[in-house]
Amino acid sequence: SDGRRTSDSAATGPKAKMTSRFLCCSPSPAFQTSLDDLLRGLNFAFPSSQTFGGVASTVSSLSRARIFAYTFPRDAADGGGGVVTASTTPEGSSHGDGCVGVAMSGDVRADTMIAQGAKPVGGVYRVVSRGAAVPGKSGDENEAAKSTIGAIVLDEGATIEQAEEEEKLDNDGEEEEEIDEDDREAKRARLLDEYAKARIPKPPLAEANFVMKTLSDDDQAFMRRALLIGLERGGSVGRSPSELNRLARGEGHRFTVRQVASAGMKDGSVTFPLGSVDVRVGSRCRFFVRDGDFARREVEALWTGFKRQELEGTLFGNGSGGDGPGAGRPTGCIVLPTLDRGAKLFGGKAGFESGLVSEYLPDVPSVSGFFSNGVVGNLDGTVSAGNANLPGSNENTLWGSSSQEEAAGAASAQVRDAAMDSKLAAEDAKRIQLTKSFGDTLAGEAAPRAPNGELIVRRREIHSGRAMSVSTVEWSVAEKTAKPTSALEGYMWEKETQVDRLRERIPLALLMSNTKAAMMDPTRPRPRDWIGSVRRSLAESEDGFVVIPECKRMEPASGSLRRRYDLPGLVRHITASGAPAMSVNSDGVMFGGTMEDITRGDGVATPPILASDLLLYPYQLYKLRLAGADAVSLVVGAVEQKDLLYLTKIASTVGLQVVASVTTEVQVGMLNLLSPGSVAAVVVSNRDLETYEFDTTGDQALRLLGSDELAAFRERNPDALVLAEGRVGIIERTDEDGGGVSYAGQLREGGASGAIVGGALATVKDEDVAEMLTAAL
């Protein structure tokens, strides 16, 4: 799993890239933690290859599987590199724990689809607390604390949304009758009344007992035998809440279902198998039961989603599509069901799942497989999942020719690139138009400014309008819709709307309690010293200047920075290259990011992360703290002095360092009114807040570096670093003779300790910054 090759042919062969791996694992529960470690290691060492397989089955629960290994010792005369002769006697050994596997490379491709075979029941909940590590206890006990859910609370909004979606699904596509709004509200009220007690945080076992009483006799019987809980996967926002609808659209599962390994009879907590999952406070969860009808519909939905993706691939030249007969098409399928997925589960119909393969892939002649005790593979091809402890799973592994797919992709590269360019152009045009509309006034005049030259920005008006009464209901009718006078003002209004929508889903009180629980949980990681990591790198730097890479999807005024924004791949590259710190833009209004981008490290231990967003409310600070940010960026020009004081204090309370971004001397003066140490660093920016474009000359940042206000800030905050941002590495400067001058060098001479580089990760023109990026990345 560490990527080392022990075979001479593998090390020197023409194609050493691993494309797929097949594993057959021991069913021993003790091996599950090691199996998860193995899968994570394989995914890190070979991120582009696929893993699939199953857990070995035995005759009964009283028997155990054994793995037999035979090795042929080499002649030690030449240092262990000799050949194996026919007379060599093999050395055999057997193991109760472990796995055997085959690594394949060359003209082969394998893709997996996993059906979990579990039906969701009850409402949607949020994890309020998890198990706490006990000082002085063994590693296994503290590992169990990470996999323990201590208390849950009902997520009202998600539960209503889920119930309405599942009600539509139960109609089996029949035409929906017109439902009066009063009837809809009555249904919602009855639903919330049923879960009234669930609004109070309680142990999961207590809530499971309540849910069990609402189920059928068969579901109750299963729930008494085994307790299944699904944890919501990342990236679910904006998709259908229904599991079956998501699968039919090719969007993947919403919840990863796992079987509870043990339960606390005293506190009602539940614990998953050691190392199988790291429970996060604030994440959503649901209860699940085994159901034959749902399992049938799930498998059919998976194959429907496969055909949908295949059609899209044919149209756009990727995936399973191609130009020639069979180009990129699967040529075989291995079906790996678990032991209880037989004729009994599917209503006495034999060969149901293998029959679906023949139905959806009629031109695939090779279908094989075997029963197992669990499956090992990638859930929907996106998230690694070793469900070794979950009965009822099924894995379909599709085989195909990678060379045919590559040839088909090459033949349609122009079509694919044209479609991607068209999509990005439309997205860029929409983002650019949004930015321009923020700064367009009715008279086309410049944005209003205060006597000190600062932009006058107003908060969003939510109480404007003329009141009028209709019967017993009072309405407020807006007589004139306000328009933003600058890009920053429009940006702020959009951000306020975004935060209001988040508050509707997660109230501030619940978010604060989740943050407090996370801060008190000794097993949860604490925010790291972002500025300390930058300072240590600065001390080791030969030229006294450090480059901090920033991950962002696009610039609002210029559009997308990359054709494909592969954030996990970019983060892995930055981490593996040893960058001391990084910045991740999580704003979705102007930069196309999401809050989930903070946590999308793909299992990699990333350097300290600065979350870049437009911060207006403490609510955002709590969200970023739970998302895993170590420091936050604060745009000083967007807040008043009292808000600046309030936000820096809240950030300090939750353990987040503040990096203040300034564009004028007035804004630096606002920082000087704060207590020393309130901000860890100040960033002199080339951003024009009125248009949100950059000063392409770079003079703005240099002017701020030489200002008296910044000198006063340095005197008051001797430990704070001064950084720069805004086209650093792209700006081209010339001297009096017309020769090229390094802008990074001028920033360093002006007193900047480093620069945050975002757009230059895609396009670098400054040779000094290029060398620094090469060293840092």
Side-chain angles (χ1 to χ4, degrees):
S1 62
D2 60 1
R4 293 177 295 181
R5 301 183 178 92
T6 58
S7 169
D8 294 338
S9 61
T12 60
K15 188 168 185 178
K17 178 183 177 182
M18 184 186 296
T19 59
S20 58
R21 304 175 294 267
F22 170 72
L23 299 178
C24 182
C25 310
S26 164
S28 170
F31 184 68
Q32 288 182 22
T33 301
S34 301
L35 174 59
D36 288 331
D37 293 339
L38 174 63
L39 291 175
R40 282 191 289 266
L42 288 172
N43 289 337
F44 177 77
F46 306 99
S48 60
S49 61
Q50 181 70 271
T51 301
F52 68 97
V55 180
S57 61
T58 56
V59 177
S60 70
S61 60
L62 300 179
S63 60
R64 292 194 60 186
R66 305 289 296 182
I67 294 176
F68 296 90
Y70 292 89
T71 57
F72 292 83
R74 294 177 180 269
D75 186 3
D78 58 353
V83 298
V84 177
T85 64
S87 60
T88 304
T89 302
E91 297 178 353
S93 60
S94 66
H95 307 273
D97 298 326
C99 72
V100 293
V102 179
M104 290 161 282
S105 63
D107 189 12
V108 61
R109 177 182 175 86
D111 293 306
T112 62
M113 296 187 301
I114 294 181
Q116 301 185 104
K119 178 184 69 174
V121 294
V124 181
Y125 303 87
R126 284 196 177 272
V127 177
V128 177
S129 66
R130 68 172 190 174
V134 181
K137 294 293 184 179
S138 64
D140 286 346
E141 289 178 319
N142 283 333
E143 190 70 25
K146 298 179 182 179
S147 303
T148 298
I149 299 179
I152 58 177
V153 67
L154 183 72
D155 189 323
E156 296 183 6
T159 299
I160 293 175
E161 183 183 30
Q162 188 79 46
E164 293 177 346
E165 185 82 8
E166 291 176 354
E167 183 179 1
K168 294 179 182 178
L169 193 64
D170 289 339
N171 293 331
D172 292 329
E174 296 179 2
E175 184 176 353
E176 185 179 358
E177 298 179 358
E178 290 292 333
I179 301 177
D180 184 78
E181 186 63 28
D182 292 338
D183 292 339
R184 181 177 284 106
E185 291 299 327
K187 287 183 178 180
R188 293 181 179 181
R190 286 196 301 270
L191 180 66
L192 293 179
D193 184 60
E194 293 177 4
Y195 289 96
K197 295 182 179 179
R199 297 180 182 181
I200 304 174
K202 61 177 60 177
L205 279 187
E207 188 61 24
N209 288 330
F210 163 74
V211 172
M212 190 185 306
K213 297 176 182 178
T214 65
L215 304 180
S216 64
D217 293 341
D218 292 340
D219 290 343
Q220 287 190 42
F222 175 83
M223 205 166 181
R224 290 190 180 95
R225 295 194 306 268
L227 184 60
L228 304 182
I229 296 180
L231 295 176
E232 188 177 44
R233 299 164 51 196
S236 295
V237 178
R239 292 178 170 180
S240 169
S242 167
E243 290 282 320
L244 298 181
N245 280 346
R246 290 169 61 101
L247 296 179
R249 295 171 185 174
E251 297 177 346
H253 292 83
R254 181 183 183 185
F255 293 90
T256 301
V257 183
R258 300 183 185 275
Q259 183 170 339
V260 170
S262 62
M265 294 297 101
K266 293 184 179 179
D267 57 3
S269 61
V270 295
T271 302
F272 298 103
L274 295 184
S276 64
V277 62
D278 188 3
V279 176
R280 298 290 183 182
V281 174
S283 60
R284 291 193 182 99
C285 63
R286 287 196 81 178
F287 294 105
F288 287 77
V289 297
R290 293 278 286 110
D291 180 80
D293 180 64
F294 186 89
R296 174 185 59 79
R297 298 166 71 184
E298 180 189 24
V299 177
E300 291 175 341
L302 271 174
W303 281 109
T304 301
F306 165 78
K307 296 298 290 186
R308 181 190 181 107
Q309 291 176 322
E310 184 183 42
L311 176 61
E312 292 174 351
T314 303
L315 293 176
F316 298 105
N318 53 22
S320 299
D323 295 332
R329 295 275 299 172
T331 57
C333 180
I334 295 181
V335 184
L336 300 177
T338 47
L339 291 172
D340 55 352
R341 290 182 73 96
K344 182 178 179 181
L345 179 68
F346 297 109
K349 187 174 181 179
F352 174 75
E353 291 177 297
S354 57
L356 282 179
V357 179
S358 301
E359 178 182 342
Y360 282 88
L361 298 175
D363 55 343
V364 173
S366 176
V367 179
S368 60
F370 56 85
F371 285 98
S372 65
N373 267 343
V375 296
V376 176
N378 286 358
L379 196 63
D380 313 321
T382 57
V383 179
S384 176
N387 290 333
N389 205 32
L390 174 63
S393 296
N394 165 271
E395 179 177 33
N396 297 297
T397 303
L398 304 177
W399 292 90
S401 170
S402 59
S403 63
Q404 286 183 351
E405 184 168 348
E406 291 169 1
S412 57
Q414 293 182 347
V415 178
R416 180 171 62 250
D417 291 344
M420 179 61 70
D421 291 340
S422 176
K423 178 181 178 182
L424 289 179
E427 188 178 44
D428 291 346
K430 180 180 179 181
R431 192 76 56 175
I432 293 171
Q433 182 60 36
L434 176 66
T435 307
K436 290 182 178 180
S437 67
F438 285 165
D440 291 340
T441 60
L442 293 177
E445 301 175 352
R449 293 183 178 269
N452 60 5
E454 284 295 289
L455 274 177
I456 297 177
V457 290
R458 303 162 298 167
R459 288 299 181 94
R460 181 172 55 106
E461 298 181 11
I462 59 176
H463 298 297
S464 62
R466 175 172 52 87
M468 61 180 296
S469 297
V470 179
S471 183
T472 59
V473 181
E474 185 175 276
W475 302 82
S476 179
V477 181
E479 296 180 320
K480 185 177 180 181
T481 304
K483 291 187 176 182
T485 59
S486 65
L488 175 61
E489 190 172 80
Y491 188 11
M492 291 170 58
W493 292 2
E494 289 290 330
K495 183 61 66 174
E496 289 178 297
T497 302
Q498 185 185 76
V499 174
D500 285 346
R501 291 170 181 168
L502 290 174
R503 284 198 185 105
E504 292 176 359
R505 302 184 67 178
I506 307 177
L508 177 61
L510 177 59
L511 190 63
M512 292 177 63
S513 64
N514 290 344
T515 305
K516 183 177 181 181
M519 294 174 63
M520 296 177 62
D521 188 349
T523 65
R524 292 289 297 271
R526 296 290 184 267
R528 296 164 293 179
D529 187 3
W530 188 88
I531 198 67
S533 182
V534 176
R535 188 178 287 110
R536 286 190 294 272
S537 178
L538 184 64
E540 299 171 358
S541 173
E542 297 180 357
D543 51 14
F545 196 84
V546 61
V547 171
I548 302 163
E550 181 180 27
C551 302
K552 57 183 176 182
R553 185 181 300 273
M554 63 182 61
E555 269 292 335
S558 58
S560 299
L561 298 174
R562 297 171 181 82
R563 181 184 292 273
R564 293 175 179 84
Y565 184 55
D566 180 15
L567 180 59
L570 189 59
V571 169
R572 283 197 302 270
H573 179 60
I574 291 174
T575 303
S577 57
M582 61 185 296
S583 173
V584 176
N585 197 303
S586 58
D587 166 69
V589 176
M590 301 277 272
F591 295 89
T594 64
M595 190 74 69
E596 287 76 15
D597 289 346
I598 303 295
T599 58
R600 288 185 63 190
D602 225 24
V604 179
T606 63
I609 295 176
L610 169 69
S612 180
D613 203 340
L614 182 63
L615 296 178
L616 302 175
Y617 301 104
Y619 186 94
Q620 297 168 271
L621 292 173
Y622 295 124
K623 289 282 290 184
L624 290 171
R625 171 64 173 81
L626 290 175
D630 303 299
V632 292
S633 177
L634 185 60
V635 179
V636 179
V639 295
E640 298 180 0
Q641 184 69 48
K642 60 179 181 179
D643 295 327
L644 182 62
L645 175 64
Y646 187 38
L647 289 172
T648 53
K649 285 187 175 182
I650 294 295
S652 176
T653 301
V654 298
L656 295 174
Q657 295 176 332
V658 175
V659 178
S661 176
V662 296
T663 58
T664 64
E665 296 180 30
V666 175
Q667 296 169 19
V668 181
M670 294 173 63
L671 297 180
N672 289 332
L673 298 178
L674 300 176
S675 302
S678 297
V679 295
V682 61
V683 177
V684 291
S685 175
N686 283 315
R687 181 84 67 182
D688 182 355
L689 298 182
E690 182 175 346
T691 63
Y692 240 73
E693 297 180 351
F694 285 117
D695 172 18
T696 56
T697 66
D699 291 337
Q700 180 170 292
L702 292 174
R703 185 173 60 252
L704 287 172
L705 287 173
S707 66
D708 294 336
E709 292 289 354
L710 189 62
F713 174 83
R714 290 179 183 272
E715 185 176 349
R716 287 177 54 84
N717 302 270
D719 294 332
L721 294 182
V722 177
L723 307 172
E725 71 171 2
R727 298 186 66 82
V728 179
I730 300 178
I731 293 175
E732 299 181 68
R733 306 273 293 188
T734 58
D735 55 17
E736 297 178 354
D737 299 329
V741 177
S742 170
Y743 183 53
Q746 292 181 326
L747 291 172
R748 180 174 58 246
E749 293 174 1
S753 301
I756 299 176
V757 177
L761 291 181
T763 303
V764 183
K765 296 181 179 179
D766 192 314
E767 293 183 358
D768 282 2
V769 174
E771 293 178 1
M772 294 174 191
L773 283 173
T774 302
L777 302 181

